[in-house]
Amino acid sequence: MVSHPHNNEHIDDEMVKMEVNLDDVPGEWLGYVMDLLFEAGANDVFYTPIYMKKNRPGVMLQLLSSRHKLEKMKEILFNETTTLGVRYYPLTVHRLERQFKRVETAWGPVTVKEGYYQGLLVQRAPEYEECKEIAKLHRIPLKQVYEQVWKKLDQDE
Amino acid sequence: MVSHPHNNEHIDDEMVKMEVNLDDVPGEWLGYVMDLLFEAGANDVFYTPIYMKKNRPGVMLQLLSSRHKLEKMKEILFNETTTLGVRYYPLTVHRLERQFKRVETAWGPVTVKEGYYQGLLVQRAPEYEECKEIAKLHRIPLKQVYEQVWKKLDQDE
Amino acid sequence: MVSHPHNNEHIDDEMVKMEVNLDDVPGEWLGYVMDLLFEAGANDVFYTPIYMKKNRPGVMLQLLSSRHKLEKMKEILFNETTTLGVRYYPLTVHRLERQFKRVETAWGPVTVKEGYYQGLLVQRAPEYEECKEIAKLHRIPLKQVYEQVWKKLDQDE
Amino acid sequence: MVSHPHNNEHIDDEMVKMEVNLDDVPGEWLGYVMDLLFEAGANDVFYTPIYMKKNRPGVMLQLLSSRHKLEKMKEILFNETTTLGVRYYPLTVHRLERQFKRVETAWGPVTVKEGYYQGLLVQRAPEYEECKEIAKLHRIPLKQVYEQVWKKLDQDE
Amino acid sequence: MVSHPHNNEHIDDEMVKMEVNLDDVPGEWLGYVMDLLFEAGANDVFYTPIYMKKNRPGVMLQLLSSRHKLEKMKEILFNETTTLGVRYYPLTVHRLERQFKRVETAWGPVTVKEGYYQGLLVQRAPEYEECKEIAKLHRIPLKQVYEQVWKKLDQDE
Amino acid sequence: MVSHPHNNEHIDDEMVKMEVNLDDVPGEWLGYVMDLLFEAGANDVFYTPIYMKKNRPGVMLQLLSSRHKLEKMKEILFNETTTLGVRYYPLTVHRLERQFKRVETAWGPVTVKEGYYQGLLVQRAPEYEECKEIAKLHRIPLKQVYEQVWKKLDQDE
């Protein structure tokens, strides 16, 4: 088990949520914008379907970012979408302590991300990308990989 | 109460549902397409949010039409959207007998559409457009107009 | 008509909205989490479909709570969902004066919740649970129960 | 392990899907309609958000039912919703063989539903209602109950 | 090219977002409410599908407004919807400089709205209503009108 | 311009739509399933948010496939999701004639897919992947690449 000191449980009140409503951008551009925003350091980016005026199905882009990346995010949003305005407001995030553990499976090791709330283990999540690589390489169902990770996790304890 | 002979309860098995997935059309065009499809005789047109490949928020257009208008609908879909394919399948519709009744309110008459299932009254719906006109003209809440229509409906019986 | 003094119209600026994005929790757990949050005193809890990275259909849980229940809500969210972070921000709620009235129907009394805005009656809503019980007991359509409540309401005035 | 002969893998081509678009029914009625449809034998009932004409957020009710319950379903839909028409079309369902297994946990037994595809075990799902009862009774997180069921499942094999 | 001095790029921190959850209002009223809110000066109004308690499909109305129109918006929301509470929180909007340009097409002139970010042109959007009028009048596809506007735009530069 | 004889306009009545409702699968698995289904030859795969019993936010997976790949699709769905049943029904697809054209931009050539309806050009779509590569390589906004493709397209005509 590896401990990361900077992964301690903490409350971050330097975050912002940014929002943009889009009714005149093709959906195919939006997958690309999501990638750019993550690469530029957004903590999360997601889309919600919305019903806009004049019977327009639209999309609300929401992103979470630390306050000091606000200008970088605006730059991407204005350059890559069709919006004429970006709105935002501050919010607070309570993040759990994170630890990373390695679990041995029949197909090799998998990282499991753990979350601690007030010192107690409450979350355990096998790393998706690693499980996916194993599933692809060994041509087995992804869920079978997850199942084995959980089983091995329990045996270690 | 006015009876429309062609509004009898019936089962129509000459209907089709048509579907188009769209991920590269701006939402603002879709309100317009909806209008054109209704004008051309579609029985209903509606949009559903869908999640498409490559993280694209998309829209599925669905429409209901009688089979003999299939070609007309295709023509609009191919000309006005960006799709390269339209899919469709037959379906059956069971429609209630419809009657139209007039109700007097303090602001004038309003039509109420009634639905009869096996001869029994099961649905009553004040006409939205008429209620809306009254609400606008008299600057009263729309829900107040509906409430009075329902009240008067009950007194007539 | 019964008046509840603590149900006066007021502006509450001690509220928070909390949000959690979920892409690795089975939907069937989420109905249960909603129940727990309401039991612990959340004012409202609801889900929104969201499109997350890597083509994942996800769910955003949103809840409204008074600020002093923030820790209790976090405890449930961290223990019952799979999230590693909970975000929140303050908001203000303007609530109408509420009164409760009893209406006699052919099947017994039903409570109607009323809302007053600056002293004027603007909302009237029959209590869903009571209407549902009547509908089930007497094997009549729920909408018929509502209709009779509205009718009786109007006759009392 | 208990085998149910009538739970064999099979292809059922006596099913129908029924659909109703609703834009004038309060959402609170729809939870009730869902219950009634399940009680009357619907195989599944679910709602999809749709965007309807005149900027109306609507709901499409979809249900799956065997063909011989079609009339019963129509009766509920016409009596309990506000629709003037119900549409439907036949579909085929391929269902897996189902078996039910008991697993002992620290808090008592839990049923696990298994699905077999061409004789091979592909699905295992702890029964939600049983896990929920344990979670409530012992005041432990629901996910902890699921985790223990999965762990015990693996040890039995 | 016409410059509007009051259309300069700016950051507006006098905005609020207002939200209302609705589970007992017919969808057909909501198109009307949207119109009223826009007429009263809302900067944007849109709906999101939400999943509420007791299996109710609901709708969250969201609107953006300047802070000094807060009371006007509340008045419409309380009078025209069925809500007993309205929530809101402040937010900041960064708006681009806007300019309006005229483009000549084969069917007459069309206005194009431009957005400038830090002095650079980043957005160009043909006015939907003008394009729609041309499409209707000349019975040509709407997308053909847009295409010609874009083509002419490029030739002017 | 290159013509593909097998890309002629045609009506295909050998297609099926398959559907699966999911309420107990983590969203993160679903991005992976989508990839597998496309790789196995699905014509399209997409997700719709649905509201299921017991307050569960769920997801409906829909896929379009030719009838002769039905068994392959079932195999993936049963192995990779948690479903105990897959439903499907036949449908017809009208596909446009497709042609592929090359357009020279300042950053190199881009393919444009064209759609012909009864011999007339109705659709033109720059290939997303090629535009994206250019945008990334030259660090320019994706929309700028699309704009130049459209401009060059028009000049060629």
Side-chain angles (χ1 to χ4, degrees):
Chain A
M1 194 186 297
V2 186
S3 170
H4 296 246
H6 57 291
N7 274 334
N8 288 340
E9 186 172 359
H10 65 283
I11 292 185
D12 179 349
D13 52 10
E14 295 289 320
M15 298 290 291
V16 285
K17 194 201 270 185
M18 305 179 76
E19 297 181 358
V20 175
N21 285 11
L22 297 161
D23 67 0
D24 62 352
V25 60
E28 63 182 4
W29 296 6
L30 293 177
Y32 180 70
V33 175
M34 186 184 268
D35 289 346
L36 293 182
L37 292 166
F38 273 116
E39 282 164 22
N43 293 57
D44 207 354
V45 184
F46 53 98
Y47 296 116
T48 312
I50 55 175
Y51 305 62
M52 298 178 75
K53 64 180 174 184
K54 300 180 186 177
N55 265 314
R56 295 173 185 171
V59 170
M60 175 162 50
L61 180 158
Q62 292 181 72
L63 76 81
L64 300 171
S65 165
S66 76
R67 197 175 299 190
H68 73 273
K69 285 185 186 154
L70 185 62
E71 292 310 314
K72 181 64 195 156
M73 297 297 146
K74 283 183 187 175
E75 191 189 315
I76 296 174
L77 293 170
F78 284 128
N79 278 311
E80 298 285 344
T81 76
T82 54
T83 197
L84 290 163
V86 171
R87 58 187 191 265
Y88 45 95
Y89 48 95
L91 47 71
T92 303
V93 181
H94 182 146
R95 293 197 191 89
L96 296 186
E97 179 188 342
R98 296 175 193 216
Q99 294 195 3
F100 297 87
K101 201 173 172 173
R102 298 216 97 180
V103 168
E104 290 301 321
T105 73
W107 313 282
V110 170
T111 305
V112 172
K113 185 158 49 176
E114 295 180 332
Y116 289 80
Y117 174 54
Q118 299 175 347
L120 293 174
L121 176 65
V122 290
Q123 315 298 19
R124 297 188 302 180
E127 287 286 2
Y128 167 75
E129 291 295 342
E130 294 175 22
C131 293
K132 181 177 144 184
E133 283 319 301
I134 286 174
K136 279 189 149 172
L137 189 65
H138 297 273
R139 296 169 183 259
I140 48 178
L142 179 62
K143 70 186 176 199
Q144 199 175 321
V145 182
Y146 272 80
E147 276 176 18
Q148 185 158 130
V149 175
W150 285 319
K151 184 177 169 180
K152 295 292 182 182
L153 253 179
D154 292 319
Q155 289 174 349
D156 290 6
E157 279 146 37
Chain B
M1 196 187 299
V2 186
S3 171
H4 297 246
H6 59 290
N7 273 336
N8 288 341
E9 187 174 358
H10 66 281
I11 291 184
D12 178 349
D13 52 11
E14 295 291 320
M15 296 290 289
V16 286
K17 195 203 270 187
M18 306 180 74
E19 296 180 357
V20 175
N21 285 11
L22 296 162
D23 68 359
D24 62 351
V25 61
E28 62 182 6
W29 296 5
L30 293 177
Y32 181 70
V33 174
M34 185 184 268
D35 289 346
L36 292 181
L37 293 166
F38 272 116
E39 282 165 22
N43 294 57
D44 207 353
V45 184
F46 53 100
Y47 296 116
T48 313
I50 57 175
Y51 304 63
M52 300 178 73
K53 64 179 176 186
K54 301 182 187 177
N55 264 315
R56 295 174 185 167
V59 169
M60 174 162 51
L61 181 159
Q62 292 181 71
L63 76 82
L64 301 169
S65 165
S66 76
R67 195 174 300 193
H68 73 273
K69 284 184 187 155
L70 186 62
E71 293 310 316
K72 181 63 194 155
M73 296 296 147
K74 282 183 188 175
E75 191 188 317
I76 295 173
L77 292 170
F78 284 129
N79 278 311
E80 298 284 344
T81 77
T82 53
T83 197
L84 289 163
V86 171
R87 57 187 192 265
Y88 45 94
Y89 46 95
L91 46 71
T92 304
V93 181
H94 182 144
R95 292 198 193 88
L96 296 186
E97 179 188 342
R98 295 174 192 216
Q99 294 194 2
F100 297 87
K101 200 171 171 175
R102 299 217 94 183
V103 169
E104 290 301 322
T105 72
W107 314 282
V110 169
T111 306
V112 173
K113 184 158 50 174
E114 295 181 330
Y116 289 80
Y117 175 53
Q118 298 175 348
L120 293 174
L121 175 64
V122 289
Q123 316 297 19
R124 297 187 304 180
E127 288 286 2
Y128 167 75
E129 291 294 345
E130 293 174 23
C131 293
K132 182 176 143 184
E133 284 319 301
I134 286 173
K136 279 188 150 174
L137 190 65
H138 298 272
R139 297 168 184 258
I140 48 177
L142 179 62
K143 69 185 176 197
Q144 199 176 322
V145 182
Y146 273 79
E147 276 176 19
Q148 185 159 130
V149 175
W150 284 319
K151 184 176 169 180
K152 296 292 182 182
L153 255 177
D154 290 319
Q155 289 174 348
D156 290 5
E157 277 146 38
Chain C
M1 195 186 299
V2 186
S3 171
H4 297 245
H6 58 289
N7 275 336
N8 289 341
E9 186 172 359
H10 66 283
I11 291 185
D12 178 350
D13 52 10
E14 295 289 320
M15 297 291 290
V16 284
K17 195 203 269 187
M18 305 179 76
E19 297 181 357
V20 175
N21 284 11
L22 296 162
D23 68 359
D24 61 351
V25 60
E28 62 182 4
W29 297 5
L30 293 177
Y32 180 70
V33 175
M34 186 184 268
D35 290 346
L36 292 182
L37 293 166
F38 272 116
E39 282 164 22
N43 292 57
D44 206 353
V45 184
F46 52 100
Y47 296 117
T48 312
I50 56 176
Y51 305 63
M52 299 177 73
K53 65 180 174 184
K54 301 181 187 179
N55 265 315
R56 296 173 185 170
V59 169
M60 175 163 49
L61 180 158
Q62 292 182 73
L63 76 81
L64 300 170
S65 165
S66 77
R67 197 175 298 191
H68 73 272
K69 284 185 188 155
L70 185 63
E71 293 310 315
K72 181 65 194 156
M73 296 297 146
K74 282 183 187 175
E75 191 188 316
I76 296 174
L77 292 170
F78 284 127
N79 278 311
E80 298 285 344
T81 77
T82 53
T83 196
L84 290 163
V86 171
R87 58 187 190 265
Y88 45 94
Y89 47 95
L91 46 70
T92 304
V93 182
H94 183 145
R95 293 196 192 90
L96 296 186
E97 179 189 342
R98 294 173 194 217
Q99 294 194 2
F100 297 87
K101 200 172 173 176
R102 299 217 94 182
V103 168
E104 291 300 322
T105 73
W107 314 282
V110 170
T111 307
V112 173
K113 185 157 50 175
E114 295 180 331
Y116 289 81
Y117 175 54
Q118 299 176 346
L120 293 174
L121 176 65
V122 290
Q123 315 298 19
R124 296 188 303 180
E127 287 287 0
Y128 167 74
E129 291 296 343
E130 293 175 22
C131 293
K132 182 177 144 184
E133 284 319 301
I134 286 174
K136 278 188 150 175
L137 189 66
H138 296 274
R139 297 169 183 258
I140 48 177
L142 179 63
K143 69 186 178 199
Q144 199 175 323
V145 182
Y146 272 79
E147 276 176 17
Q148 185 158 132
V149 175
W150 285 320
K151 184 176 170 181
K152 295 293 182 180
L153 256 177
D154 291 319
Q155 289 174 350
D156 291 4
E157 278 145 38
Chain D
M1 195 187 296
V2 187
S3 169
H4 297 246
H6 58 289
N7 274 336
N8 288 341
E9 187 174 357
H10 66 281
I11 292 184
D12 178 350
D13 53 10
E14 295 290 321
M15 296 291 290
V16 285
K17 193 203 271 187
M18 306 179 76
E19 296 180 358
V20 175
N21 285 11
L22 296 161
D23 68 358
D24 62 351
V25 61
E28 62 182 6
W29 296 6
L30 292 176
Y32 181 70
V33 174
M34 186 184 269
D35 289 345
L36 293 182
L37 293 166
F38 273 115
E39 282 164 24
N43 293 56
D44 206 355
V45 184
F46 52 99
Y47 296 116
T48 312
I50 56 176
Y51 305 63
M52 300 178 73
K53 65 179 175 185
K54 300 181 187 177
N55 266 315
R56 295 174 185 170
V59 169
M60 174 162 51
L61 182 158
Q62 292 181 72
L63 77 82
L64 300 170
S65 165
S66 77
R67 195 173 300 191
H68 73 272
K69 285 185 186 153
L70 186 62
E71 293 310 316
K72 181 64 193 156
M73 297 297 146
K74 281 182 188 176
E75 191 188 317
I76 296 173
L77 292 170
F78 283 129
N79 278 311
E80 298 284 343
T81 77
T82 53
T83 196
L84 291 163
V86 171
R87 57 188 192 265
Y88 45 94
Y89 47 95
L91 46 71
T92 304
V93 182
H94 182 145
R95 292 197 192 90
L96 297 186
E97 179 189 342
R98 296 174 192 216
Q99 293 194 2
F100 297 87
K101 200 172 172 174
R102 299 218 96 181
V103 168
E104 290 301 322
T105 72
W107 314 283
V110 169
T111 306
V112 173
K113 184 158 49 174
E114 295 181 331
Y116 289 80
Y117 174 54
Q118 297 175 351
L120 292 173
L121 176 64
V122 290
Q123 315 297 19
R124 297 187 305 180
E127 287 287 2
Y128 167 75
E129 292 294 345
E130 294 174 23
C131 293
K132 181 177 143 184
E133 285 318 303
I134 286 174
K136 279 189 151 173
L137 189 65
H138 297 273
R139 296 168 184 259
I140 48 177
L142 179 62
K143 69 186 176 198
Q144 199 175 322
V145 182
Y146 272 80
E147 275 177 19
Q148 184 158 132
V149 175
W150 285 319
K151 184 176 170 179
K152 295 291 181 183
L153 254 177
D154 291 320
Q155 289 175 348
D156 291 4
E157 277 145 38
Chain E
M1 196 186 298
V2 186
S3 171
H4 299 244
H6 57 291
N7 275 335
N8 288 341
E9 186 173 359
H10 66 281
I11 292 185
D12 178 349
D13 51 12
E14 296 289 321
M15 297 290 290
V16 285
K17 196 203 267 185
M18 305 179 76
E19 298 180 358
V20 175
N21 285 11
L22 296 162
D23 68 359
D24 61 351
V25 61
E28 62 183 5
W29 296 5
L30 293 177
Y32 181 70
V33 174
M34 185 183 270
D35 289 346
L36 293 182
L37 293 165
F38 272 116
E39 281 164 23
N43 293 57
D44 207 354
V45 184
F46 52 100
Y47 297 116
T48 311
I50 56 176
Y51 305 63
M52 298 178 75
K53 65 180 174 184
K54 300 181 188 178
N55 265 315
R56 295 174 184 168
V59 169
M60 175 163 50
L61 180 159
Q62 292 181 72
L63 75 83
L64 300 170
S65 165
S66 77
R67 196 174 298 190
H68 72 273
K69 285 185 186 154
L70 185 62
E71 293 310 315
K72 181 65 193 156
M73 296 298 146
K74 282 183 188 175
E75 190 188 316
I76 295 173
L77 292 170
F78 284 128
N79 278 310
E80 298 285 344
T81 77
T82 54
T83 196
L84 290 163
V86 171
R87 57 187 191 265
Y88 45 95
Y89 47 96
L91 47 70
T92 304
V93 182
H94 182 145
R95 292 198 192 88
L96 297 186
E97 179 188 341
R98 295 174 192 215
Q99 293 194 3
F100 297 87
K101 201 172 172 175
R102 299 217 95 180
V103 169
E104 290 301 321
T105 72
W107 314 282
V110 169
T111 306
V112 173
K113 185 158 49 176
E114 295 180 331
Y116 288 80
Y117 174 54
Q118 298 175 348
L120 292 174
L121 176 64
V122 289
Q123 316 296 20
R124 297 188 302 180
E127 288 286 3
Y128 167 75
E129 291 295 344
E130 294 175 21
C131 294
K132 182 176 143 183
E133 284 319 302
I134 286 174
K136 279 189 148 173
L137 189 66
H138 297 273
R139 296 170 184 257
I140 49 177
L142 178 62
K143 69 186 177 198
Q144 199 175 321
V145 182
Y146 273 79
E147 276 176 18
Q148 185 158 132
V149 175
W150 285 318
K151 185 176 171 178
K152 296 292 181 181
L153 254 177
D154 291 320
Q155 289 175 349
D156 291 4
E157 280 147 36
Chain F
M1 195 186 299
V2 187
S3 171
H4 297 244
H6 58 290
N7 273 336
N8 288 341
E9 187 173 358
H10 66 283
I11 292 184
D12 179 348
D13 52 11
E14 295 290 321
M15 297 291 289
V16 284
K17 195 202 269 186
M18 306 180 74
E19 296 180 357
V20 175
N21 284 11
L22 297 162
D23 68 359
D24 61 352
V25 61
E28 63 182 5
W29 296 6
L30 294 177
Y32 181 69
V33 174
M34 185 184 269
D35 290 346
L36 293 182
L37 292 165
F38 272 116
E39 282 164 23
N43 294 56
D44 206 353
V45 184
F46 52 98
Y47 296 117
T48 313
I50 56 176
Y51 305 63
M52 300 178 72
K53 65 180 176 185
K54 301 181 188 179
N55 265 315
R56 296 174 184 169
V59 169
M60 175 162 51
L61 180 158
Q62 293 181 70
L63 77 81
L64 300 170
S65 165
S66 77
R67 197 174 300 192
H68 73 272
K69 284 184 188 155
L70 185 63
E71 292 310 315
K72 181 64 194 156
M73 296 296 146
K74 282 183 188 177
E75 191 188 315
I76 296 173
L77 292 171
F78 284 128
N79 278 311
E80 297 285 343
T81 77
T82 53
T83 195
L84 291 163
V86 171
R87 56 187 193 265
Y88 45 95
Y89 47 94
L91 46 72
T92 303
V93 181
H94 183 146
R95 293 196 192 89
L96 297 186
E97 179 189 342
R98 294 174 194 217
Q99 294 195 3
F100 297 87
K101 199 173 174 175
R102 299 216 97 184
V103 169
E104 291 301 322
T105 73
W107 314 282
V110 170
T111 308
V112 173
K113 184 157 49 175
E114 296 180 331
Y116 289 80
Y117 174 54
Q118 298 175 348
L120 292 174
L121 176 64
V122 289
Q123 316 297 20
R124 297 188 303 180
E127 287 288 0
Y128 166 75
E129 291 295 344
E130 294 175 22
C131 294
K132 181 177 143 183
E133 284 318 303
I134 287 174
K136 279 189 150 173
L137 190 65
H138 297 273
R139 296 168 184 258
I140 47 177
L142 179 62
K143 69 186 178 198
Q144 199 175 323
V145 182
Y146 273 78
E147 276 177 18
Q148 184 158 132
V149 175
W150 285 318
K151 184 177 169 180
K152 296 291 181 181
L153 254 177
D154 291 320
Q155 290 175 348
D156 290 5
E157 279 144 37

